[in-house]
Amino acid sequence: MLSQEDRSLLYILSQDCRLTPEELSIQTGLTPEYVNKKIKQWEKDKVIVKYGLLINYEQLEEDRVTALIDVKVLPQRGHGYDKIAQRFQKFPEIKSVYLMSGDFDLCLVVEGHNMHEIAQFVSDKLSPSELIETTSTRFILRRYKQDGMEFHGEEEGPKRLMITP
Amino acid sequence: MKEYLSPLAANLKPSGIRKFFDLAATMEDIISLGVGEPDFATPWVMRESAIFSLEQGQTMYTSNAGLLELRRELSKYMAKNQGLQYNPDTELLITVGASEAVDLAMRALIVPGNGVLIPDPSYVAYAGCAAIAGADIHYVPLRAEHDFRLQVDDLQLAYTPNCKVLVLSYPNNPTGAIMTRDELLPIARFASENDLIVITDEIYSDLTYEGTHTPFATLPYMKNRTLHVSGFSKAYAMTGWRIGYVAGHPDLILAMTRIHQYTIMCAPIMAQIAALEGLKAGDSAKKEMLLEYDRRRRILVNGFREMGLTCFEPLGAFYVFPDITATGLRSDEFAEQLIKEEKVAVVPGTAFGPAGEGHIRCSYAYSTQQLLEALSRISRFVKKRI
Ligand SMILES: Cc1ncc(COP(=O)(O)O)c(C=O)c1O
């Protein structure tokens, strides 16, 4: 279990991972030494896996498409789904691999520059595999919200008054 | 037309923040730390439930005391989270904000000429409502050397036998101070000894950053002499909905409900529905806001201390109350020069009573970027003066 202090440290870091240990120390009330040590520990323990960036490519008018590919596999005896999942995760095109409940077994998140590229990837790399029974590919058309951030937020509403008691 | 006004209305003083409000309104690109309300919108679950209720056509009056379901849920919530036991049928009244609750309490209790003990500095409405009710106001100074915690010695000095009511408000606006159970006990004893009714405004109770909040009514023998005022404006970011409540002895609540029935009828139904949803499902959103405030609180306190100002650590609400006497300026001079020179709006401590002199109130209900920008401007301003 995380302590209250550590939870707060992790929360603040998750909101802005560019904060220095000194800034984190101010915002949490923990010492910079503790903050430093804790972050190192989390990095070592793979609690913090990576420091990320959330990019809205739509703003850049870059061509980039994301597909969710549901996959039904024929589980291998003795290996369950791990073996095939581990094979999928090696493909750089595949950004995420999840074992799912429901009609399909695995869900892959695949990124490419256009639909064609992804379609090619599916037909070249996934479909021919003797371990795959069926796939169902769905393309993301618009991103409204990701990782807690609204991409197309509400219009800015009326402002607060400048001074209130 | 002034000659038509009652002396009471004619003599009512404008709120101390008015002047700065007017000044700030004329300027552009102001960063304001002058706001006493959250920067968050009401949590979506609550807004959504109100929208749904409107779609369903729930647009009627409710019972005077408020939706029974809301009072029941509130009663459960208070019991579970605060150790307060109030009967939803007879001891709870849903009001149009804590503001209305304070007004009702004064009107229900005060015979013109009765004394009301009001901490100084404090939220502006207490003295206003007491004056409207015809009370004689006795200010009790809160002192920086006691971290703005009310002291019995000061109460004793301000007390006269005509005093009937004591107003308490912790966590406090404007200072951000809190009081622990041990510190409140002597106040409770004083209230008993002098047969005072205590109006305690605990609207910031969920915004407590260290330890747990002690509701005054949970102290020994205090339940009957306490009117526990609170609301949803701050912790649930619901200022514009206008919803609050008061809990207390059935006789007092009944009298207040009678006044409320003629003057207000009932709190807005959509606000009641949203508040109900908040009690049922708003906890995680509330906690997230608390985490965010806590972090900003530390940024501001640290910022003021780095400038060389004395700033006691506020442990509640969303205000810091730094001491600006090192600049050689009075509170109102500081605030006025700061807004003109650096375009940062703060509220002079004196807006909350004469004992606020030497301090300014800065709210941290702002994004960290805004706070950091405001701090760098204030720092430039302060450096020129110390
Ligand atoms: C101490 C205190 N009590 C009451 C209020 C008003 O609350 P409400 O919006 O519930 O009327 C405020 C608002 O600033 C406040 O600071």
Side-chain angles (χ1 to χ4, degrees):
Chain A
M1 268 296 274
L2 280 172
S3 70
Q4 189 65 33
E5 287 80 15
D6 289 349
R7 191 180 298 279
S8 144
L9 175 59
L10 204 52
Y11 163 77
I12 294 171
L13 201 56
S14 74
Q15 297 301 303
D16 185 356
C17 60
R18 292 169 309 168
L19 294 172
T20 63
E22 286 70 29
E23 288 168 316
L24 288 165
S25 154
I26 290 168
Q27 298 188 20
T28 54
L30 300 163
T31 64
E33 295 73 39
Y34 180 86
V35 169
N36 236 333
K37 201 183 89 195
K38 197 75 210 178
I39 291 175
K40 292 263 151 60
Q41 186 67 42
W42 279 333
E43 288 169 352
K44 190 165 150 256
D45 296 346
K46 299 263 185 250
V47 172
I48 295 175
V49 182
K50 177 181 167 180
Y51 294 93
L53 197 61
L54 182 56
I55 300 169
N56 184 355
Y57 283 102
E58 231 175 90
Q59 288 301 96
L60 293 173
E61 294 173 25
E62 281 261 303
D63 285 332
R64 190 169 290 251
V65 287
T66 306
L68 304 181
I69 304 175
D70 292 320
V71 183
K72 209 174 167 77
V73 297
L74 304 163
Q76 293 164 284
R77 226 183 147 134
H79 291 295
Y81 297 100
D82 288 353
K83 192 130 194 182
I84 184 154
Q86 278 157 9
R87 224 166 99 193
F88 286 149
Q89 71 189 22
K90 298 282 181 233
F91 288 103
E93 293 86 346
I94 299 181
K95 301 298 169 187
S96 309
V97 180
Y98 305 107
L99 178 63
M100 310 296 287
S101 65
D103 290 345
F104 288 84
D105 304 312
L106 293 173
C107 178
L108 315 178
V109 179
V110 178
E111 261 180 29
H113 289 98
N114 50 49
M115 282 191 181
H116 176 73
E117 198 177 286
I118 292 180
Q120 197 72 42
F121 177 75
V122 174
S123 60
D124 286 357
K125 303 284 190 256
L126 300 183
S127 303
S129 166
E130 67 285 3
L131 299 172
I132 291 180
E133 196 178 319
T134 50
T135 66
S136 157
T137 301
R138 290 168 299 146
F139 287 98
I140 290 177
L141 300 180
R142 193 168 197 214
R143 238 168 263 261
Y144 288 96
K145 184 176 183 182
Q146 188 174 327
D147 295 348
M149 299 304 292
E150 292 177 29
F151 280 29
H152 304 274
E154 300 161 16
E155 294 289 310
E156 215 178 307
K159 295 258 186 320
R160 281 186 296 173
L161 296 172
M162 203 64 97
I163 295 182
T164 53
Chain B
M1 295 297 279
K2 286 207 179 102
E3 65 276 20
Y4 288 92
L5 289 173
S6 75
L8 198 145
N11 294 332
L12 213 52
K13 286 203 288 288
S15 145
I17 65 160
R18 192 70 233 173
K19 185 170 137 200
F20 286 91
F21 184 84
D22 293 342
L23 192 61
T26 62
M27 303 175 74
E28 277 177 26
D29 302 326
I30 300 258
I31 298 194
S32 172
L33 302 186
V35 176
E37 65 179 319
D39 56 323
F40 301 105
T42 312
W44 177 249
V45 279
M46 300 166 73
R47 285 189 274 160
E48 199 270 341
S49 73
I51 293 167
F52 182 66
S53 78
L54 288 174
E55 284 172 353
Q56 298 282 298
Q58 296 197 52
T59 55
M60 285 69 176
Y61 293 129
T62 71
S63 68
N64 297 132
L67 293 167
L68 184 58
E69 198 189 349
L70 172 58
R71 281 179 284 141
R72 285 197 176 134
E73 199 63 34
L74 185 56
S75 166
K76 270 200 290 192
Y77 181 89
M78 292 167 86
K80 178 162 168 259
N81 295 289
Q82 305 179 304
L84 288 163
Q85 308 290 338
Y86 287 108
N87 180 337
D89 295 318
T90 54
E91 297 182 315
L92 275 179
L93 168 62
I94 307 298
T95 56
V96 178
S99 303
E100 194 214 347
V102 171
D103 179 40
L104 290 176
M106 294 291 180
R107 290 208 245 182
L109 295 168
I110 298 299
V111 178
N114 282 165
V116 175
L117 293 154
I118 297 181
D120 164 22
S122 67
Y123 177 56
V124 296
Y126 310 137
C129 292
I132 292 168
D136 187 14
I137 295 165
H138 298 239
Y139 285 108
V140 191
L142 302 174
R143 300 177 195 279
E145 68 257 35
H146 294 126
D147 287 355
F148 302 101
R149 293 158 201 242
L150 184 62
Q151 306 292 307
V152 169
D153 290 349
D154 289 319
L155 266 179
Q156 204 84 54
L157 283 175
Y159 176 83
T160 60
N162 75 332
C163 288
K164 182 175 183 181
V165 170
L166 164 63
V167 177
L168 267 185
S169 180
Y170 289 95
N172 185 261
N173 174 11
T175 64
I178 60 168
M179 280 182 79
T180 63
R181 185 183 161 84
D182 284 348
E183 290 158 348
L184 286 168
L185 281 170
I187 309 291
R189 222 169 296 127
F190 182 87
S192 284
E193 283 162 13
N194 297 290
D195 197 18
L196 296 171
I197 296 287
V198 177
I199 300 175
T200 179
D201 174 356
E202 301 182 17
I203 193 163
Y204 292 103
S205 61
D206 284 343
L207 302 179
T208 299
Y209 306 102
E210 246 180 64
T212 46
H213 172 75
T214 302
F216 191 77
T218 59
L219 300 178
Y221 308 111
M222 285 301 114
K223 191 180 164 204
N224 281 346
R225 48 173 85 254
T226 300
L227 280 170
H228 176 95
V229 171
S230 192
F232 296 86
S233 285
K234 313 294 174 172
Y236 293 94
M238 286 188 80
T239 45
W241 299 77
R242 311 308 306 124
I243 181 139
Y245 56 91
V246 52
H249 190 280
D251 294 349
L252 303 186
I253 293 299
L254 180 64
M256 290 167 70
T257 308
R258 294 237 168 92
I259 303 174
H260 170 85
Q261 132 198 332
Y262 293 122
T263 54
I264 298 287
M265 194 94 114
C266 66
I269 186 168
M270 49 282 208
Q272 294 193 49
I273 287 167
L276 175 61
E277 185 63 22
L279 293 170
K280 288 180 176 165
D283 240 34
S284 64
K286 203 168 62 169
K287 290 219 175 82
E288 215 164 282
M289 292 190 275
L290 186 74
L291 271 175
E292 199 47 54
Y293 288 136
D294 191 20
R295 144 188 204 201
R296 301 165 178 190
R297 174 180 78 96
R298 294 173 196 277
I299 291 176
L300 264 198
V301 172
N302 181 74
F304 282 113
R305 287 182 179 163
E306 288 207 325
M307 287 174 212
L309 298 181
T310 305
C311 184
F312 103 101
E313 189 179 1
L315 294 177
F318 37 58
Y319 310 103
V320 298
F321 204 59
D323 180 333
I324 48 92
T325 48
T327 60
L329 297 174
R330 289 199 323 262
S331 300
D332 60 339
E333 291 171 337
F334 186 100
E336 196 167 334
Q337 292 178 22
L338 180 65
I339 196 171
K340 287 185 177 154
E341 265 180 49
E342 294 287 352
K343 299 197 167 185
V344 177
V346 298
V347 185
T350 43
F352 304 93
E357 185 55 84
H359 295 82
I360 52 168
R361 188 195 74 174
C362 300
S363 158
Y364 46 88
Y366 296 90
S367 72
T368 48
Q369 287 102 311
Q370 284 169 307
L371 292 178
L372 291 170
E373 173 61 23
L375 277 173
S376 91
R377 294 190 194 185
I378 299 173
S379 171
R380 198 157 54 201
F381 177 88
V382 167
K383 289 234 165 74
K384 289 186 202 150
R385 288 165 175 82
I386 57 177

